[in-house]
Amino acid sequence: MVAERQRGDSGSEAEAPEDRKPQSDEAGSAFTSPLGIPIPPPPEDEHPTSEFAIPKGLAVESEPEPEGSAFAPPAGTAPSASTTQGTLFPAFTPPHGIPMVQLTKEVPWQDRMRTMLRMPVSERPVPERVDKQDESGPAIPRVLDLTLRIGEILLAGGEGAEDVEAAMFGVAHAYGLERIEPTVTFTLLSISYQPSLVDDPLTASRTVRRRGVDYTRLSAVYRLVAAITSRGLTLEEAYRGLAEIRRNRHPYPGWALTIASGTLAGAASTLVGGNVLVFVAAAVGAMLGDRLAWLASGRGLPEFYQFVVAAMPPAAMGMALSIAHANVQASAVITGGLFALIPGRALVAGVQDGLTGYYITASARLLEVMYLIVGIVIGVLTVLYCGLQFSPRLNPEQALRQYDAPTVQILASMLLALSFCVLLQQERHTVLFATFNGGIAWIVYGSLANVADPKLNPVAATTIAAGVVGLFGQLLSRYRYASALPYVTAAIGPLLPGSATYFGLLNFARGDLGPGVASLIKAASLALAIAVGVNLGSEVARLFLRAPGVEAVGAGRRAA
């Protein structure tokens, strides 16, 4: 039996190769089930399985947090379904409530780009942009053109040179251009791009030939830049958004600007002690001056002559009231008209550019301010000189007495800031904040200059009040991720040196050069105090913000 078993085994071994010979290529596949093992049922189509599926009962590890990026949108700014369908740029306040403000972590694109601008080219981070399948790379000429057009609107709207360069750098960097250098002067914008160290640089430039005040358009450009740097808009979408911004009309018509100019002059005359008659006279004079300036502008006259003709009606109205009624405060009428003409916006921008290191642009802006003030001086002096021939006893110190009515002055300062908002063509949702900011500025100034013991010098009190305005404006702009100009420019209106300017001009007209020079020096000191205070308040707000993407000790925001 052992022999038979051995023969059987040997027989089976001999027959096995023929019995197990594969009939086809598929029969020898490694995925064929062995003989004797039942074939499992095929998987259902509705519930496909995969060898990469996670078994039941196994805990799923949480996904790692993405690395921080200079172009990542701040928390709380993700577009909702309602906003993305209706408009290209979502609202900054989400519908579920107001987000908590964390100034040390969430910073707008302005600070991100400022930080990179002040870095050497070799230390700047590479743009984190993934090209689409149908794109071989960024269209460099179109990117440079888009960058220059955005910078042109910002510079023409009165934005500081540093913020204009930051916007230009952010747009170009978002589209993958690494080695770029934007340059901003008073009327010229240029940008240079070098693909590599061995390639020739590409340079494009654009000239700003006309400037206008429209803070609504300025805010829209800020939102466009934020969308480009955070959401990765394509060039076509960016150009479409820029075209929409250019097509949009001003939010307030011409007649509303004229009424706002009169209301501003009347509120300013109330700040220095004017009554109802003075309010009406100042408002009428300012509106007449505004219409004359529009007429001169329509005839193509330069801005210098527009200021000359705009300064004449308020001065003529004050002199007429002084001649007709000796007890009427003619100086308050003229002072109110000067409040509406003093170029505070250009002055603040010029000083800010000088403090941040853009000396060429600052010099040009300050020279423009000087020319405009000279135009105001010529217009007012012409009327005062003619008026003094009929009323030689006009005394500004007696007519403009010390006025102490806190409630009336606070309301007048808020009305003045509100009128400034209309003149600056601000968005309606920024008007309320700017109006309250103007009231706060006057409260701080009045408390320090009139109530404090001891009383501060008007220059020091103006500097502190302007610093509060700059601080609040910077915080509001960071909360809204927008420009700080709409919250600051109108709020400094109550602090403008209208009375000191009037005293100097009147003394010059009377031939008193010594008091006239002293008054004009005081006016210049107050104007510089406003500009320095606003810039200082903005820098204080940035002082407590950590620069994004900078973790090393001592590697924070570089100085200008």
Side-chain angles (χ1 to χ4, degrees), residues 373-398:
I373 292 178
V374 169
I376 298 172
V377 169
I378 293 176
V380 175
L381 279 181
T382 302
V383 177
L384 289 180
Y385 182 78
C386 296
L388 287 175
Q389 306 303 319
F390 299 95
S391 179
R393 296 181 180 180
L394 185 62
N395 192 343
E397 284 77 7
Q398 293 180 358

Side-chain angles (χ1 to χ4, degrees), residues 107-184:
V107 290
W109 61 265
Q110 299 97 300
D111 282 337
R112 302 200 301 268
M113 295 303 111
R114 284 195 198 99
T115 303
M116 298 178 66
L117 269 178
R118 296 181 178 183
M119 289 181 178
V121 179
S122 59
E123 299 181 10
R124 292 174 182 171
V126 178
E128 300 176 8
R129 178 177 180 269
V130 180
D131 294 334
K132 297 181 181 180
Q133 295 180 358
D134 56 346
E135 294 182 358
S136 59
I140 296 176
R142 296 192 65 195
V143 172
L144 297 182
D145 178 71
L146 175 66
T147 303
L148 290 174
R149 291 180 181 273
I150 289 177
E152 178 188 8
I153 297 179
L154 293 176
L155 186 61
E159 190 62 84
E162 184 180 26
D163 289 333
V164 176
E165 282 195 3
M168 295 173 62
F169 183 85
V171 172
H173 204 266
Y175 287 112
L177 304 187
E178 303 176 17
R179 299 179 179 87
I180 63 164
E181 287 297 336
T183 304
V184 176

Side-chain angles (χ1 to χ4, degrees), residues 33-275:
S33 301
L35 296 176
I37 298 178
I39 301 175
E44 299 179 2
D45 296 339
E46 292 80 3
H47 303 284
T49 59
S50 171
E51 57 179 319
F52 299 101
I54 301 176
K56 296 182 179 180
L58 182 62
V60 181
E61 297 182 359
S62 59
E63 298 181 358
E65 297 182 358
E67 298 181 358
S69 171
F71 299 96
T77 60
S80 59
S82 60
T83 56
T84 54
Q85 295 177 1
T87 178
L88 179 62
F89 311 110
F92 293 102
T93 303
H96 54 75
I98 300 176
M100 183 177 60
V101 180
Q102 299 178 357
L103 296 180
T104 58
K105 295 182 179 179
E106 301 177 2
V107 290
W109 61 265
Q110 299 97 300
D111 282 337
R112 302 200 301 268
M113 295 303 111
R114 284 195 198 99
T115 303
M116 298 178 66
L117 269 178
R118 296 181 178 183
M119 289 181 178
V121 179
S122 59
E123 299 181 10
R124 292 174 182 171
V126 178
E128 300 176 8
R129 178 177 180 269
V130 180
D131 294 334
K132 297 181 181 180
Q133 295 180 358
D134 56 346
E135 294 182 358
S136 59
I140 296 176
R142 296 192 65 195
V143 172
L144 297 182
D145 178 71
L146 175 66
T147 303
L148 290 174
R149 291 180 181 273
I150 289 177
E152 178 188 8
I153 297 179
L154 293 176
L155 186 61
E159 190 62 84
E162 184 180 26
D163 289 333
V164 176
E165 282 195 3
M168 295 173 62
F169 183 85
V171 172
H173 204 266
Y175 287 112
L177 304 187
E178 303 176 17
R179 299 179 179 87
I180 63 164
E181 287 297 336
T183 304
V184 176
T185 58
F186 183 56
T187 58
L188 181 64
L189 298 168
S190 64
I191 185 170
S192 177
Y193 169 66
Q194 189 174 13
S196 65
L197 296 178
V198 297
D199 293 332
D200 296 332
L202 303 177
T203 303
S205 62
R206 195 173 183 87
T207 302
V208 180
R209 302 190 182 277
R210 186 175 181 181
R211 293 180 298 276
V213 181
D214 189 345
Y215 282 179
T216 299
R217 181 175 296 179
L218 191 70
S219 300
V221 174
Y222 262 70
R223 289 193 292 270
L224 176 62
V225 176
I228 292 174
T229 57
S230 301
R231 294 165 49 193
L233 296 182
T234 63
L235 281 174
E236 289 73 16
E237 293 173 341
Y239 267 108
R240 192 180 305 116
L242 187 62
E244 293 176 359
I245 293 173
R246 288 183 174 275
R247 283 196 302 266
N248 289 339
R249 295 184 177 181
H250 301 303
Y252 306 104
W255 61 266
L257 300 182
T258 301
I259 295 177
S261 179
T263 307
L264 189 153
S269 65
T270 305
L271 282 179
V272 294
N275 52 23

Side-chain angles (χ1 to χ4, degrees), residues 497-559:
S499 58
T501 304
Y502 167 70
F503 289 161
L505 298 181
L506 184 57
N507 284 318
F508 274 124
R510 296 173 58 186
D512 299 332
L513 299 181
V517 172
S519 297
L520 291 182
I521 291 176
K522 180 181 178 181
S525 301
L526 292 174
L528 292 177
I530 293 173
V532 173
V534 169
N535 182 263
L536 182 61
S538 301
E539 294 299 329
V540 168
R542 297 170 186 166
L543 183 64
F544 299 99
L545 297 174
R546 184 196 308 172
V550 179
E551 301 294 340
V553 179
R557 179 175 178 239
R558 286 174 167 81

